[in-house]
Amino acid sequence: MRALVGASFVPFGVTLSFLNLASVTAIMTVGVVYGVISILGVLRVYFWIPELLWMFFLLRFVPEGDEAKWLRCLPPYFDQLIHLPMPLIDSFIVKAYQQNPVAAQQTINYLINSTNQQKVALKAMVGIAIDTLNCCQNSQDIVAITEQLAWIPSPPPAEIGSVLPEFLEISQDVCAAKNASSAYLQSEMLATPLTKLNRLRKSLVLGKNAALATSFASIVQRWLSILETSRQTLEEAALDSAEIPQVYVAGPALNPENSSSRFKGRLDVFREIESLARSSQPPVLLLYGGSSHRKNLRPQVFT
């Protein structure tokens, strides 16, 4: 009897064990599924997928050149709570910037201040900066770069933070050269941005950031070609005008590369004197200095 009783209870205990294991497994499965569903809900993946499809629709069917008109139809304008990065928005904004820079800038500011798409906005800034720098066709375009990209915050995004300030500085140097009063002075002042571009090209080649070199090496080469052509044209114009080169060249402090032909002086003073001397009613200029200042040679310089 005991054997029979014992034999009857063994299968029942095994059955209870299997039932408990199955129940635990089912509860864990339900918990995992509920957790995944909750995470997807918090991340708003259920909204992100149709919004991604909408972006594909915009890129596919919006006519080329009309992107600026459709900026208000971007997903972040009707869903500010998107947490996951929304791809393709940055490239759409870069295209829109070519037709309407103001609208594109407003969209970037909206993404930064009113949504969770700050990284997308920074990518759009980087794309716009690269595209603008690469579109320069002549020296006047290079001069305009400083004003065109003045809206990008300082410091700029990390992807271009080490390069964009150098391009802006070169643009300002070219602007200063353009404002010089003669073709000879313009060609001389273009030496500074050309030197900086060659230095930048060398740093990109020797740098460890391959993506940065890929994005900007061709731009540096394009700017070098533009400025070298401009300088050659100005040198020919200076020869045709029979202008006598200045004995003293105003500029920065002496350096070993050009100390033999550069005079350490104040550029603004030289420009002011030259403008006064070339005016329709030039005033009387009084030169004052010690006996060793060679004042007797100054009239030869400004005539």
Side-chain angles (χ1 to χ4, degrees), residues 124-195:
M125 281 187 192
V126 172
I128 289 172
I130 294 175
D131 187 67
T132 304
L133 294 173
N134 198 38
C135 286
C136 293
Q137 300 294 329
N138 50 55
S139 58
Q140 195 59 44
D141 292 340
I142 295 177
V143 171
I145 286 295
T146 301
E147 183 177 353
Q148 291 177 1
L149 299 182
W151 61 274
I152 294 181
S154 180
E159 292 83 352
I160 55 175
S162 61
V163 176
L164 181 60
E166 297 192 44
F167 277 105
L168 296 179
E169 185 177 343
I170 291 169
S171 172
Q172 294 170 0
D173 291 337
V174 177
C175 180
K178 283 281 187 180
N179 292 331
S181 57
S182 66
Y184 174 78
L185 289 179
Q186 291 176 6
S187 65
E188 286 294 306
M189 294 178 66
L190 281 179
T192 299
L194 284 170
T195 301

Side-chain angles (χ1 to χ4, degrees), residues 246 269-270 273-274 277-278 285 287 297-303:
Q246 296 286 357
V269 175
F270 273 74
I273 294 175
E274 185 176 29
R278 293 175 180 270
L285 300 178
L287 302 179
L297 294 179
R298 296 301 195 276
Q300 299 176 23
V301 176
F302 295 110
T303 57

Side-chain angles (χ1 to χ4, degrees), residues 79-148:
D79 185 4
Q80 298 177 342
L81 301 179
I82 306 174
H83 291 284
L84 296 176
M86 180 61 64
L88 308 177
I89 290 182
D90 55 306
S91 59
F92 194 88
I93 295 175
V94 172
K95 292 180 179 180
Y97 183 86
Q98 299 173 0
Q99 299 101 40
N100 192 334
V102 175
Q105 293 173 34
Q106 291 174 348
T107 301
I108 291 175
N109 291 333
Y110 173 79
L111 293 177
I112 293 175
N113 299 318
S114 303
T115 72
N116 298 314
Q117 300 295 312
Q118 286 79 14
K119 291 184 178 180
V120 174
L122 293 179
K123 287 182 64 176
M125 281 187 192
V126 172
I128 289 172
I130 294 175
D131 187 67
T132 304
L133 294 173
N134 198 38
C135 286
C136 293
Q137 300 294 329
N138 50 55
S139 58
Q140 195 59 44
D141 292 340
I142 295 177
V143 171
I145 286 295
T146 301
E147 183 177 353
Q148 291 177 1

Side-chain angles (χ1 to χ4, degrees), residues 218-238:
S218 60
I219 299 176
V220 172
Q221 189 58 46
R222 177 190 294 271
W223 282 33
L224 278 170
S225 177
I226 292 172
L227 295 185
E228 287 171 352
T229 302
S230 297
R231 191 180 190 191
Q232 183 178 358
T233 303
L234 290 170
E235 289 175 349
E236 294 174 355

